[in-house]
Amino acid sequence: MGLDHTTVTGWGRTAPTAARLIRPRSYEEAAAAVRDCGERGGIPRGLGRAYGDAAQNAGGAVLDMTGLDRVHAIDADGGTVLCDAGVSLHRLMEVLLPLGWFVPVTPGTRYVTVGGAIGADIHGKNHHVSGSFARHVLALELLTADGEIHTVIPGTPLFDATAGGMGLTGVILTATIRLQPVETSLMSVDTERATDLDDLMARLAATDHRYRYSVAWIDLLARGAATGRAVLTRGDHAPLDALPARLRRDALSFRTSRLPSAPTVLPEGLLSRTTVGLFNELWYRKAPRSRTGRLQRISAFFHPLDGVPHWNRVYGRGGFVQYQFVVGYGREDALRRIVRRISERRCPSFLAVLKRFGESDPGWLSFPVPGWTLALDIPAGLPGLGAFLDELDEEVAAAGGRVYLAKDARLRPELLPAMYPRLDDFRALRAELDPHGVFVSDLARRLHL
């Protein structure tokens, strides 16, 4: 079992803290690591793609679970996989796509572990159809604070606390996942432009049901009549008969592209309002007004940024804040106000996306609820950013919405009960399951989870 003292940070690189990094290579070593967490406790960690402080533990232990990375069994007829929690979605795609199966849900990066996907109850472009990741988990094995390993199934309180519970109920060791059948490893993609936010929402509401996957890039620097203009991209897995003959011979191959890594040091101020405004203008103008049926690789459709290793460095040493919230259907006025405020504030965001969520997921701290979700990146050094986001939090909470804990780095704890009505249930189960606070994180301390 490897052990190292190191500085740990989230993908946003905003609040690094020092911890003992423990790398168990077996279930027995994972149990030993839990017993040896010390007074400051420990928290499991995957590939470090949570943007904020969810997988950090200042002065305590962080359990790097990526050493537990075996794919144990694939049911190629029934469409299920049993794997360790440290297996990445990238690895699952490599193994499963040639067999005609795909992961049921993927976020904007495939470099997420299965344990992290459950702990954050990740969602993707298909939530309006498929829900979040935990909805497709048939069972999991959970190592709890007392050193016991429990088989946990959906519909039980422990499952609902673990799905979206940010690693605070225990260490996920394995999971059995229901898969999505596919005929090819290509996507059939439709693209169109929306002139403003109302046009975008109307298009999404009217036609999203036709697509399994749907997302809109939104220009948050556009103002006036163009506020909320967007490029809408939607699609589904391409059937075999949609491929030209030359591609059918190798229809299920999984290909990815890789560009040079982002430099370690970049000039401060590179992502200014001027440069991001220029990028947004070019991105919007180059998008087709309407195009249907374009074939695209899975990696290009779902994970374009994965082709640039360490892309988070482009924000400079100060890092960035990824802010994501959801407000329910019927609260479109709140969404309009927030988008208008962000645009008027001139926040230099070029990774801003709007999606529609479907039915709520069972996790007590799961993020998705039926409604509109907006995610945006903002350089952390933007003057007055903290106070501005506090104001947006207030508006989101007043509209009955919530922020996403897997991306959060600065939410005030007093707003959490209004955003997550099952918070007391989560706290009570956690107190019973882990009375001595073995599992703890910087996020948990900050929000009193």
Side-chain angles (χ1 to χ4, degrees):
M1 178 168 57
L3 188 149
D4 190 19
H5 288 79
T6 189
T7 298
V8 181
T9 185
W11 192 245
R13 305 171 74 206
T14 56
T17 54
R20 288 187 303 132
L21 193 64
I22 305 173
R23 300 180 178 91
R25 304 297 183 187
S26 67
Y27 304 152
E28 292 77 15
E29 287 190 358
V34 169
R35 290 193 299 269
D36 191 37
C37 279
E39 293 183 0
R40 295 284 288 179
I43 191 71
R45 179 182 175 94
L47 287 166
R49 292 305 178 102
Y51 286 82
D53 53 3
Q56 300 174 213
N57 183 23
V62 170
L63 279 61
D64 178 349
M65 299 303 296
T66 56
L68 293 172
D69 60 353
R70 292 168 296 176
V71 177
H72 293 282
I74 300 171
D75 181 350
D77 295 323
T80 63
V81 61
L82 168 62
C83 63
D84 284 343
V87 173
S88 70
L89 299 191
H90 174 87
R91 178 60 180 152
L92 286 183
M93 291 176 198
E94 287 182 324
V95 172
L96 296 171
L97 271 169
L99 302 177
W101 297 99
F102 189 60
V103 295
V105 172
T106 178
T109 175
R110 60 186 179 272
Y111 296 113
V112 175
T113 62
V114 167
I118 298 169
D121 201 11
I122 60 170
H123 57 272
K125 300 176 182 179
N126 60 339
H127 191 277
H128 63 293
V129 173
S130 302
S132 62
F133 193 89
R135 192 181 297 185
H136 305 271
V137 175
L138 302 177
L140 59 87
E141 288 184 303
L142 185 72
L143 172 64
T144 51
D146 58 5
E148 297 294 321
I149 296 176
H150 305 262
T151 298
V152 187
I153 61 173
T156 62
L158 186 51
F159 187 94
D160 293 346
T162 301
M166 307 310 298
L168 296 170
T169 61
V171 179
I172 299 171
L173 297 176
T174 70
T176 302
I177 305 160
R178 183 175 55 245
L179 304 170
Q180 168 69 33
V182 296
E183 294 182 14
T184 75
S185 61
L186 294 172
M187 305 296 296
S188 177
V189 182
D190 295 354
T191 305
E192 58 189 287
R193 288 193 297 193
T195 56
D196 57 32
L197 183 60
D198 283 338
D199 181 33
L200 172 61
M201 289 193 292
R203 291 171 187 256
L204 286 167
T207 58
D208 250 9
H209 65 279
R210 302 176 189 170
Y211 300 90
R212 178 173 294 276
Y213 303 99
S214 176
V215 67
W217 169 87
I218 184 169
D219 182 0
L220 291 177
L221 282 174
R223 292 185 290 180
T227 298
R229 67 179 181 176
V231 178
L232 181 55
T233 306
R234 294 180 288 187
D236 207 337
H237 299 280
L240 186 61
D241 59 14
L243 270 57
R246 62 183 176 83
L247 295 178
R248 294 183 190 180
R249 292 188 296 272
D250 200 15
L252 286 168
S253 63
F254 178 47
R255 296 187 178 92
T256 63
S257 57
R258 192 174 179 88
L259 298 173
S261 177
T264 303
V265 179
L266 286 165
E268 294 298 324
L270 180 66
L271 296 182
S272 65
R273 293 183 178 94
T274 300
T275 57
V276 174
L278 178 62
F279 170 87
N280 287 3
E281 181 70 25
L282 292 173
W283 191 260
Y284 181 77
R285 294 298 175 188
K286 85 176 187 65
R289 293 184 183 276
S290 181
R291 180 177 61 197
T292 60
R294 181 191 180 196
L295 292 177
Q296 226 178 352
R297 290 181 183 175
I298 273 176
S299 58
F301 180 77
F302 289 107
H303 316 118
L305 286 175
D306 281 349
V308 184
H310 306 294
W311 62 262
N312 56 340
R313 294 175 181 168
V314 303
Y315 295 87
R317 290 188 178 92
F320 70 103
V321 173
Q322 174 87 181
Y323 185 68
Q324 184 169 4
F325 68 90
V326 58
V327 292
Y329 296 124
R331 306 308 298 262
E332 285 78 10
D333 284 347
L335 178 63
R336 292 186 185 99
R337 284 194 303 271
I338 292 172
V339 169
R340 187 163 55 247
R341 291 186 65 180
I342 295 170
S343 298
E344 291 171 351
R345 184 70 167 68
R346 306 292 288 159
C347 293
S349 176
F350 71 96
L351 293 177
V353 296
L354 183 74
K355 298 192 291 275
R356 295 173 76 245
F357 280 158
E359 295 180 7
S360 298
D361 297 294
W364 292 345
L365 297 187
S366 291
F367 170 64
V369 294
W372 305 91
T373 180
L374 176 66
L376 60 145
D377 64 301
I378 313 172
L382 191 69
L385 179 61
F388 178 65
L389 293 181
D390 284 347
E391 293 172 3
L392 296 191
D393 289 341
E394 297 277 1
E395 187 143 9
V396 168
R402 58 182 58 165
V403 300
Y404 190 16
L405 298 183
K407 294 185 176 180
D408 177 58
R410 26 76 39 209
L411 178 68
R412 302 197 315 273
E414 60 266 26
L415 292 178
L416 201 62
M419 293 181 172
Y420 289 90
R422 300 299 300 271
L423 179 62
D424 285 344
D425 293 326
F426 177 82
R427 285 171 169 163
L429 184 142
R430 187 167 172 244
E432 179 182 349
L433 192 67
D434 183 9
H436 302 295
V438 172
F439 295 110
V440 67
S441 64
D442 293 351
L443 173 80
R445 291 190 185 95
R446 177 168 54 83
L447 294 179
H448 309 312
L449 292 174

